[in-house]
Amino acid sequence: RIEIMRETDAVRAALRSPGGPAGTRRRDSNAIVTSPAPGGTAADVSDQERLAQDLALFLSNPTLRSALADGSLDLASYSSTVEAELATLESECIGIYRANAGNLSHLRTEMDECDAVLASLQELLLGFQADLAGLSGDIKSLQDQSRTLSVQLKNRRDAELGLRGFLERIVVPPQLADTICTGGVDDRFVDCVRELEEKYSYVHLGKSTDPAELELMERTSSGIPPATTVAGKEMQAHILKLRLTAVVRIREYFLAKIAELARPRTNVRMIQVNQLLRYGDLNDFLLTAAPDVYQEVRDVYIESMGKTLHALFRTYAAQLSRLDSRIANRNDLIAIDDATLRDAFSTKVNMAKRADAFCLADRVNVLEMATAADRQPILAHVALAEGERYPYEIIFRSICTHLMDAATNEYVFVRQFFKENGADAFTAILSRSLSLVLEQTENYLFNCHDAIGILLMIKLTHANRRIMQSRNVDVMDGFFDRVASLLWPRLKMIMDAQLRSVSGANSKKLGGVELHAHYVSRRYAEFTASILLILNKGKKTAAIERTASAASASHQQKQRSNSDTDTSSIHSAGPSHRGSAGDMLVTDLENLLEETVLLLERLAEVHSTNKKKSIFLINNYDQILCIFQERRVAGKEVNRFAELLMQQRELFVEEELLQGFSKMIAFVQQTEMQFARSAAGQEKKVDVNQAVVEGLVREFATSWKQHIELINRNVLSYFSNFRNGMEILKQVLTQLLLYYTRFQDIIRKVYRGKPPAFSKDLVSTTVILAEIKKYALSI
């Protein structure tokens, strides 16, 4: 309805202004636009605007706009229609208004009441507005105060941050003081001591040029030296007092733990690791805070540990000395007076103990035990309870093993606990123990005649040196040099005694000589084989570390370069004699070989015939070679006796053949010499007595088998070594066959083309060879 009313008003307005003075009208197919006439009033302008709005509303109806566009719309009739509708609507509105008159009156009353309420609210809000205007001033004042407090808080926080580092470094917390004064020595105590030392260093900082200290002061005290501040000066006395308290407590702790080391059956290593090294920082603190207390702790440890180790090794060595089997004595020489070898109730020579001092047997295993990863020393109390006995080199190895383990443990401990003062402490701790071992070794060597044992101890010393060098503990080299300087001279004395016994021996002193091997040759062979086996142990050649001289020289140079740190009796030993002494020992073996050969030749002179002399020498040389082969010894000694044996075998072969075939051998040798002179032009013709030749042929044909049988029996009876006898028998028969072949050659040369009548009596070499093979097969 409202739209219809608006359209009606628009139509009326359009009808009232068809183009009069109020404005002009322009019509097109899309819209009707009116423009105000020039010079119109404001009311006219307002009416025109309203008219334009009404026209726009009218044209918004698609039906009217289309009808108006095509000219089918009659505005007059449409206006009357609209007016009639408006009248109807107006009457209807009046009816509706009348019907709702009471409601409208009530609505007006309510609206008045609302206006009154709104008026009171307006007054209230105006009061609030006035109050808020007053509060805004207070809020502004509070904002200013808040900004001021914020600045003050920031400044105080900055000041707190600046002072916190300074206060934390000079103020001693109660927990720290309580721990140092009354707490137990543990990790917490160590941390507190470390923190206290930092505070002590800080409060004593003065003017410095160190960049690190300058940076610390700039960061914590704005560049002001803490020692010049009032707080710093005040805390210096308190921190110093607490520092002295810490020194006293640390001293008491260390002295108590060091005292525990001297108690019997104490696990020294556990105390060192868990109760001393664990708190090594406390010892460093003593070195800085109280050097005299540090020196006292160090001296007490050196004294206590030195006594403990000395008592331990003295007791251990005394127990092991009861286990010594004493293998050799002064009578254990290669050539000894026969009277010393006879039993008191018998005239026979007692050889029951002949091999102990000269035979190596399984004693060489001690060298493998020394380098084994799981090497264990002798448990003295167990060995004593079981009644065990050991050669002294095993006892020596056990003592050295304990000593090296103790030295390694102490060296590592003192280097970690006493730092740069560890080397001097190690020297002082081990000096008495090392001197004790040297003294005991020297006392043993005074009455030692066991060359094999001493040489094994020398090899053990070299092996021990290498073990300690592999552990990077080279401070024991001086001790090993002193041990070697004790062992080598004693070994030289024993070797000289052996040489004197051999060079001064004769058949009278040795109690007679038989054809079989003499005990001197066995002793010599066992002794030489043992020495060579020890020297060659772990080597491809038979020389004894001849290159050790250069190593010794370099070691001495190293000792001289480190003399500023390694100064003690332990390192004051003379130069090593491994190279020169080893060469000396090899020379002694060579001399002993020559003297033994001369002795055997002197003993062979007791026999009346050259044949017996050869038999005696063959048996002795063969026995020496057999022992060398059994011990798997190689070298010039073996070659020398092999040559001597071959020479004596050749002599024996000739002597044995001369016993049954002397005439034939003499004839062959003389005739061959004549043929040689004839060939050289010294003689015109070789003259041979046919009767002599015939006699030799017939004699050989009738007795050669009997003589071969006799040779076989003689060889089996002369030589105790069956293999050696068979070799000699083979050589004798072969030489016999060779002589007889030469004899036949002479006959053929003399009687060329005219064989004599006795040729039928010649024994064929095939027959002789068959007989020789018969003996070989029987063997």
Side-chain angles (χ1 to χ4, degrees), residues 629-642:
Q629 292 173 358
E630 290 175 2
R631 306 295 183 265
R632 297 182 180 180
V633 174
K636 54 187 177 182
E637 291 83 4
V638 178
N639 298 332
R640 177 64 189 283
F641 281 104

Side-chain angles (χ1 to χ4, degrees), residues 24-42:
T24 61
R25 182 179 61 181
R26 185 175 58 193
R27 176 181 176 187
D28 55 21
S29 59
N30 294 322
I32 298 175
V33 181
T34 60
S35 58
T41 62

Side-chain angles (χ1 to χ4, degrees), residues 2-12 27-32 54-79 81-82 85:
I2 293 173
E3 291 179 355
I4 294 174
M5 291 175 67
R6 290 179 177 175
E7 292 176 356
T8 302
D9 292 339
V11 172
R12 287 176 179 173
R27 176 181 176 187
D28 55 21
S29 59
N30 294 322
I32 298 175
D54 292 339
L55 287 176
L57 179 62
F58 176 76
L59 292 175
S60 64
N61 190 332
T63 303
L64 294 178
R65 186 173 59 187
S66 60
L68 183 60
D70 59 10
S72 60
L73 180 60
D74 186 3
L75 295 178
S77 60
Y78 185 73
S79 176
T81 302
V82 171
E85 290 178 356

Side-chain angles (χ1 to χ4, degrees), residues 165 344 371 453 550 734:
T371 57
T734 302

Side-chain angles (χ1 to χ4, degrees), residues 95-124:
I96 293 172
Y97 179 78
R98 289 177 179 176
N100 293 286
N103 294 334
L104 291 174
S105 176
H106 180 70
L107 181 60
R108 177 58 183 269
T109 303
E110 290 181 352
M111 291 176 64
D112 291 341
E113 291 177 355
C114 290
D115 288 340
V117 173
L118 292 173
S120 61
L121 288 175
Q122 182 178 8
E123 292 178 359
L124 181 60

